[in-house]
Amino acid sequence: MNEWISLAQSAATAARTFATAAKDRVRAVVAPDGKPDSALADREQRLVHGFAWIATTAEALAATADWARRSEAAGRFGAIEALMLRIGFGEYLAQLIGGVPMSQNEFVRPHELGLADAAAALATDPAARRFLDDGNTAATRAAFAERLRDGERPDESLDDETLDMVRDQFRTFAAERIAPNAHAWHLADVLIPDAVVREMADLGVFGVCIDPAHGGLGLGKMAMCVVSEELSRGWICAGSLGTRSEIAGELIGAGGTPEQKAYWLPKLASGEVLPTAVFTEPDTGSDLASLRTRAVPADDGGWRIHGSKTWITHAARTDLMTLLVRTDAAKPGHAGLSMMLAAKTRQTPDAAFPDEGLEGGEIAVLGYRGMKEFVLSFDGFRVAADGLLGGVEGQGFRQLMRTFEGARIQTAARAIGVGWNAFDLALRYAAERRQFGRPLADFPRVSDKLALMVAELVMARELTYAAARHKDKGERCDIEAGMAKLLGARVAWSNADLAVQIHGGNGYALEYEASRVLCDARILNIFEGAAEIQAHVVGRGLIAGG
């Protein structure tokens, strides 16, 4: 076995030991009786969230060590892979010992958790010490950046001919049909053209995970990751078009009646029906237990919807709403929630929302413009009698929770794609732009940025793929999915910010694509559960898990 791979496996084990020490410290504070106390967890958010970031960093190291092992087993682990491994491990081990970034001005440091001794032990672990001394150095970063400039990239094969073919197919499609037009669409603030959406449907984007018995590809979450990553590398909005179909397909596939599955799933898979997820309300955000939009029985046997929803993506150009409502006002919290499959009319030239009882107002946004965001108002909007998902009331929250794992894994994959987009733009500009008679990429502070952008991307990608593998095995992976989204969103934002910095003043100009990628990357830390929500879920979940 390659020396660096052996060291990585040992260092990853040491990092996990450090994360376990962090868990023990935080559990003693917020779970004195063995079970997390909600009030204590809220009061000690910084400790809980800090532990979540420590655990996420440790798992990213473990996933990357596993990537290196698989790469070597397939004969693909070469010089660029070794450089990436050294840089990534050197950086993340140093973060664990010195301070893991939770945001731009929040770092969780070992002494806050009473982990000074554990950090010292990690720092003196022989494998970790080797990476700290010889991993993320000026020399390794320079060598790595030089190979990146020459067109080399760390191994990305998935050891699966079908998945590798899927990557190639969607990378080509995104490069030819999405990337050349994305900035113009962004500046014009228009939807991705219908013709491009139809091409995506023909490629199977909307049925990646839907059972072949219902017209889908049935390829699983790993394939979904690859598709989302490559489309988002062209433009996040292209990668996100499939998210709503993924959510609707999983909701119906797992919780629908046989009739609902037979009717909706083939239409979703083919792209004939485009869905939108309608969950968030103006005053509740992530607090779904406080949801107030209600569904009341109608005289004709159906339902009438009353209330408001906000931040509804791609709401106008859709035919189906997966709509979370309260069907039993007498039951507080989650118990009274139900999921509706609410058919609607797609926008027309004369009206964005032609249906009676449904109105919408567009929310102007910085980025993520290719599908548009809306506030929706329901005033007696009708849902058919067979629109209740599964035909049983009170199951809405449970049904929705089952989709969060897949949605967050996909969001992490979108983040990886955005991060690659930022790197692609930064590398091209750094190679072409000359200052003081030299390309920008010749300057160490620029090449350092490029090297770390890719090192972090590979580590976030492997953490995301690890979560997808759990999901494809049918294993619960809410913690792993939350970790993947946490790290992926941070890396995407960091890379986008670095791309703008490398562009200098031009990065701040609307005409340069880096300005768009910065705006697009910012949403990743907010939607599908803000970073703070994700950290709370991960931290509490790990503490509760024993």
Side-chain angles (χ1 to χ4, degrees), residues 80 91 143 233 250 252 382 398 420 445 454 459 485-486 488:
I80 193 170
E91 174 58 27
R233 191 170 184 168
E250 190 158 359
I252 297 169
R382 185 181 181 279
R398 294 185 183 88
W420 277 116
R445 284 294 305 283
V454 173
M459 298 181 84
K485 183 183 182 299
L486 261 185

Side-chain angles (χ1 to χ4, degrees), residues 178 203 251 505:
I178 303 298
L203 288 171
L251 279 169

Side-chain angles (χ1 to χ4, degrees), residues 303-323:
W303 302 85
R304 296 287 179 179
I305 311 299
H306 300 270
S308 298
K309 298 285 186 177
T310 193
W311 293 109
I312 308 306
T313 304
H314 205 215
R317 187 176 55 182
T318 52
D319 316 280
L320 171 68
M321 295 180 288
T322 51
L323 175 60

Side-chain angles (χ1 to χ4, degrees), residues 47 123 202 447:
L47 293 183
D202 291 341
S447 62

Side-chain angles (χ1 to χ4, degrees), residues 41-42 44-46 48-50 52-53 102-106 286 408 482 485-487 489 522-540:
D42 286 344
E44 301 292 345
Q45 271 192 357
R46 184 171 174 82
V48 175
H49 295 190
W53 275 106
M102 297 192 292
S103 71
Q104 288 87 334
N105 67 352
E106 295 172 290
S286 297
R408 286 169 178 166
K485 183 183 182 299
L486 261 185
L487 185 60
R522 191 63 190 88
I523 193 62
L524 288 158
N525 253 321
I526 299 171
F527 66 9
E528 298 293 346
E532 293 77 9
I533 294 292
Q534 291 301 301
H536 209 66
V537 169
V538 169
R540 281 200 55 169

Side-chain angles (χ1 to χ4, degrees), residues 129-148:
R129 189 74 253 167
R130 183 73 183 280
F131 282 109
L132 292 169
D133 290 341
D134 300 323
N136 185 21
T137 66
T140 54
R141 292 193 299 272
F144 189 43
E146 187 62 34
R147 288 180 176 274
L148 294 172

Side-chain angles (χ1 to χ4, degrees), residues 70-207:
R70 294 194 314 274
S71 181
E72 184 188 47
R76 299 188 302 267
F77 191 85
I80 193 170
E81 286 76 24
L83 288 167
M84 180 271 133
L85 192 67
R86 291 169 64 184
I87 293 166
F89 263 71
E91 174 58 27
Y92 276 21
L93 287 166
Q95 287 183 11
L96 287 173
I97 293 164
V100 177
M102 297 192 292
S103 71
Q104 288 87 334
N105 67 352
E106 295 172 290
F107 293 78
V108 55
R109 296 183 172 91
H111 70 85
E112 293 183 80
L113 279 67
L115 295 173
D117 290 343
L122 177 59
T124 56
D125 175 86
R129 189 74 253 167
R130 183 73 183 280
F131 282 109
L132 292 169
D133 290 341
D134 300 323
N136 185 21
T137 66
T140 54
R141 292 193 299 272
F144 189 43
E146 187 62 34
R147 288 180 176 274
L148 294 172
R149 288 175 67 180
D150 289 342
E152 291 186 56
R153 298 293 180 269
D155 181 33
E156 60 185 8
S157 175
L158 289 163
D159 298 306
D160 182 297
E161 185 177 346
T162 297
L163 291 175
D164 289 339
M165 182 179 66
V166 167
R167 186 188 296 283
D168 290 343
Q169 180 181 32
F170 280 93
R171 181 170 294 176
T172 299
F173 175 79
E176 294 178 353
R177 299 292 291 126
I178 303 298
N181 304 300
H183 203 56
W185 294 334
H186 165 81
L187 293 177
D189 196 8
V190 296
L191 294 169
I192 295 177
D194 288 334
V196 176
V197 176
R198 286 194 293 272
E199 290 180 56
M200 293 172 65
D202 291 341
L203 288 171
V205 170
F206 306 117

